[in-house]
Amino acid sequence: MAAHPQDPGAPDAPYLTFWQERHLCTLTTLRPDGTPHVVPVGVTYDPEARLARVITNKSSAKVGHVLAAGPEGARVAVCQVDGGRWATLEGMARVRTERERVAEAERRYAQRYGRTPAPNPDRVVIEIELRRGMGRG
């Protein structure tokens, strides 16, 4: 299979458009034993900041996996697929609790998914500092 690299800070137009469409995604984190944990999530992609964001509850397993990796962050991947189009973003994830970061993630989620998330005082954001992208939009 041919590789389809993308610069996560400067993706081609079809790839970026694909990430702006409404699609369910997956987030892959690693459990403490090294096995993958893959869950459905909503993801927003900000190439200018080289970030992907996932809003979630602070008690979720994915948050626990990221926190368990320590302050340097956890290696993760987010992915989406639609027929022959697919996209993966990889990077280092950290859990952010700062209200302004959570609010920005909620705003971006509402923009991509067409609905404002219900209020949740336990919401955090997993921010992924992007290091690699691949796929075909």
Side-chain angles (χ1 to χ4, degrees):
M1 178 184 274
H4 298 280
Q6 292 283 338
D7 178 348
D12 66 33
Y15 189 81
L16 181 58
T17 298
F18 186 40
W19 276 106
Q20 292 167 338
E21 297 169 2
R22 187 181 191 280
H23 293 285
L24 186 62
C25 303
T26 60
L27 169 68
T28 302
T29 58
L30 297 177
R31 296 181 183 98
D33 68 2
T35 58
H37 177 256
V38 183
V39 294
V41 294
V43 175
T44 62
Y45 173 33
D46 180 356
E48 290 178 4
R50 294 183 72 97
L51 285 177
R53 295 174 178 92
V54 175
I55 56 174
T56 189
N57 196 297
K58 68 182 179 183
S59 64
S60 70
K62 57 190 158 288
V63 166
H65 298 155
V66 172
L67 291 174
E72 293 180 11
R75 289 182 172 203
V76 304
V78 290
C79 183
Q80 64 182 22
V81 64
D82 180 36
R85 299 183 306 159
W86 62 277
T88 300
L89 294 165
E90 300 176 15
M92 297 300 288
R94 290 178 185 81
V95 176
R96 303 294 189 189
T97 59
E98 300 92 339
R99 186 66 223 144
E100 65 279 359
R101 288 183 181 264
V102 174
E104 177 64 9
E106 291 170 334
R107 183 189 71 76
R108 289 176 179 273
Y109 179 94
Q111 183 178 21
R112 181 174 190 199
Y113 291 98
R115 70 173 191 83
T116 301
N120 178 354
D122 293 328
R123 182 171 289 129
V124 297
V125 59
I126 297 173
E127 287 186 348
I128 305 162
E129 293 178 17
L130 300 173
R131 302 211 172 143
R132 184 182 319 186
M134 60 186 126
R136 291 191 315 200

